[in-house]
Amino acid sequence: MEGQSKGSFNVMEESERNGKGRCGSMVGTCDLVLRVLAFVLTLVAAVVIGADKQTAIVPFKLVESMPPLYVPVAAKWHYLSAFVYFVGANAIACAYATLSLLFSLGNRRKGMESLISVFDTLMVALLFSSNGAAIAVGLLGLQGNLHLHWNKVCNVFGKFCDQVAASLFISLLGSITFLLLLLLPHVFRLKQTT
Amino acid sequence: MEGQSKGSFNVMEESERNGKGRCGSMVGTCDLVLRVLAFVLTLVAAVVIGADKQTAIVPFKLVESMPPLYVPVAAKWHYLSAFVYFVGANAIACAYATLSLLFSLGNRRKGMESLISVFDTLMVALLFSSNGAAIAVGLLGLQGNLHLHWNKVCNVFGKFCDQVAASLFISLLGSITFLLLLLLPHVFRLKQTT
């Protein structure tokens, strides 16, 4: 009887261990896929906004009573510090995604796993702050602000703004990918406890 | 000999368990302190910017040849959507810090710990994005942007901007507190492996 109980306990333990092993390997696979995705998305986001540039012909009045002069005006991403920070953050996150991918593909020791988790967390903070900054400034460019007399610029630089919006969307997906890298172990642990 | 080896193994295991226990209780204490700090900082940040308001007398020219009219102009935090998002994010983080503090003080099951970690991660993303947005807009208010013809406003609304800066600084500390809540277990694990 005791032997039977011990035997069934061993079987349960074994199946639990197998379950944990399967779960662990699933987390490992998801982790790798997410790191590849994070690399691609942050790279594309940085390149899309980094290559963004538009020149538009804008009417410019020197004297009120004279007809306006038409002057070519350029819009470049580095005119706004929020976009400079955004490009820098995406570039750093992209480089880190490559490094962490290489370490994840190699033999991961417990210490290395913790170190990667620390840097994943820092990347989430960095990317979300840069997305917040770029989206806030992008919205001001799109809508302007009546109270501050800041005119919208997207009615003049439509193509430039579209490209910024695309880059912001891609970077947001990249940030969510890094967020998922942090959430994944907790979600699997939650699934195991329920 | 075998008994001695088993004995020393048990002593090592016991001391390791004790070490882990001490570490666990230290992490628990730090966790509680950080949650109280996060609650206080996010609350103060939201209140400081929420109570921010300044009226300044600004010269306003209706016709170029006439002397300017002096008009009272008000600056309020809700004139900028980035600040609205900032206040909302800090209020949500403050409410969550209270809830998570209550749950942490209660008996924490493994499932609850994972759930709290998931929400801590979401709070880091929320707070850092709102800080990024508010800092980007705050910098535009302080420096303006020559390329976009967005004038600086902090030369007129100095007190308002100082209060915004104080709130941003406090909220940044709150965000770092939430970040430390995520980093703490990894840092302790790293310390254990080295």
Side-chain angles (χ1 to χ4, degrees):
Chain A
M1 186 71 179
E2 204 188 313
Q4 198 185 342
S5 138
K6 259 190 185 172
S8 69
F9 180 73
N10 281 344
V11 168
M12 272 171 68
E13 215 180 19
E14 181 72 20
S15 101
E16 200 179 293
R17 219 173 17 239
N18 282 348
K20 270 190 184 170
R22 265 201 302 278
C23 231
S25 108
M26 221 168 124
V27 171
T29 313
C30 285
D31 188 280
L32 287 181
V33 171
L34 286 174
R35 277 181 208 284
V36 174
L37 252 177
F39 163 73
V40 174
L41 290 167
T42 48
L43 178 70
V44 173
V47 168
V48 166
I49 202 170
D52 200 4
K53 196 178 161 182
Q54 189 187 353
T55 304
I57 308 293
V58 178
F60 191 72
K61 273 197 173 184
L62 273 175
V63 186
E64 198 62 35
S65 53
M66 295 275 284
L69 287 171
Y70 288 88
V71 187
V73 178
K76 290 174 186 167
W77 62 272
H78 57 83
Y79 284 172
L80 281 155
S81 49
F83 289 164
V84 175
Y85 177 50
F86 176 81
V87 171
N90 274 282
I92 290 171
C94 176
Y96 165 73
T98 321
L99 269 178
S100 70
L101 191 63
L102 292 176
F103 281 119
S104 297
L105 282 171
N107 202 356
R108 279 174 69 163
R109 285 173 299 142
K110 202 133 195 163
M112 183 57 77
E113 263 184 29
S114 295
L115 202 65
I116 287 180
S117 297
V118 166
F119 280 100
D120 284 351
T121 313
L122 294 178
M123 285 307 125
V124 164
L126 180 75
L127 276 178
F128 271 93
S129 66
S130 76
N131 277 326
I135 290 173
V137 171
L139 271 177
L140 277 174
L142 187 70
Q143 301 173 334
N145 190 291
L146 268 176
H147 301 287
L148 304 179
H149 299 284
W150 288 351
N151 296 322
K152 52 183 161 190
V153 287
C154 286
N155 49 342
V156 180
F157 299 101
K159 194 200 128 263
F160 180 84
C161 287
D162 287 345
Q163 211 162 317
V164 167
S167 173
L168 288 178
F169 180 70
I170 296 164
S171 174
L172 203 61
L173 290 182
S175 316
I176 291 169
T177 311
F178 270 106
L179 192 70
L180 287 178
L181 275 171
L182 290 189
L183 295 180
L184 202 68
H186 301 300
V187 171
F188 270 94
R189 216 170 294 150
L190 258 176
K191 250 182 124 181
Q192 271 180 347
T193 52
T194 52
Chain B
M1 187 72 180
E2 203 187 316
Q4 196 187 343
S5 136
K6 260 191 185 171
S8 70
F9 180 74
N10 281 345
V11 168
M12 271 171 68
E13 214 180 17
E14 181 74 17
S15 102
E16 199 177 295
R17 218 170 20 237
N18 282 347
K20 270 191 183 169
R22 266 200 303 276
C23 229
S25 110
M26 221 169 125
V27 171
T29 313
C30 285
D31 189 280
L32 287 182
V33 172
L34 286 174
R35 276 179 209 284
V36 174
L37 252 177
F39 162 73
V40 173
L41 290 166
T42 49
L43 179 69
V44 173
V47 168
V48 167
I49 202 170
D52 200 3
K53 194 178 162 184
Q54 189 187 354
T55 304
I57 307 293
V58 178
F60 191 72
K61 273 198 172 182
L62 272 176
V63 186
E64 198 60 37
S65 53
M66 294 277 283
L69 285 172
Y70 287 87
V71 187
V73 178
K76 289 174 185 168
W77 63 272
H78 57 83
Y79 284 172
L80 281 156
S81 49
F83 290 163
V84 175
Y85 177 49
F86 176 80
V87 171
N90 274 283
I92 290 170
C94 176
Y96 166 72
T98 322
L99 268 178
S100 69
L101 190 64
L102 292 176
F103 280 119
S104 297
L105 282 171
N107 201 356
R108 280 174 68 164
R109 284 174 300 143
K110 201 133 194 164
M112 182 57 77
E113 263 184 27
S114 295
L115 202 65
I116 286 179
S117 297
V118 167
F119 280 101
D120 283 351
T121 313
L122 294 178
M123 285 306 123
V124 164
L126 180 75
L127 277 178
F128 271 92
S129 66
S130 77
N131 277 326
I135 291 173
V137 171
L139 270 177
L140 277 174
L142 187 70
Q143 301 173 334
N145 190 290
L146 268 176
H147 301 286
L148 303 179
H149 299 284
W150 289 351
N151 296 321
K152 52 183 160 189
V153 286
C154 286
N155 49 342
V156 180
F157 299 101
K159 193 200 128 264
F160 180 84
C161 286
D162 287 345
Q163 209 162 319
V164 166
S167 173
L168 288 178
F169 180 70
I170 296 165
S171 175
L172 203 61
L173 290 182
S175 315
I176 292 169
T177 311
F178 270 106
L179 192 71
L180 287 178
L181 275 171
L182 290 189
L183 295 179
L184 201 69
H186 301 301
V187 172
F188 270 94
R189 217 170 293 149
L190 259 175
K191 250 182 124 178
Q192 271 181 346
T193 52
T194 52

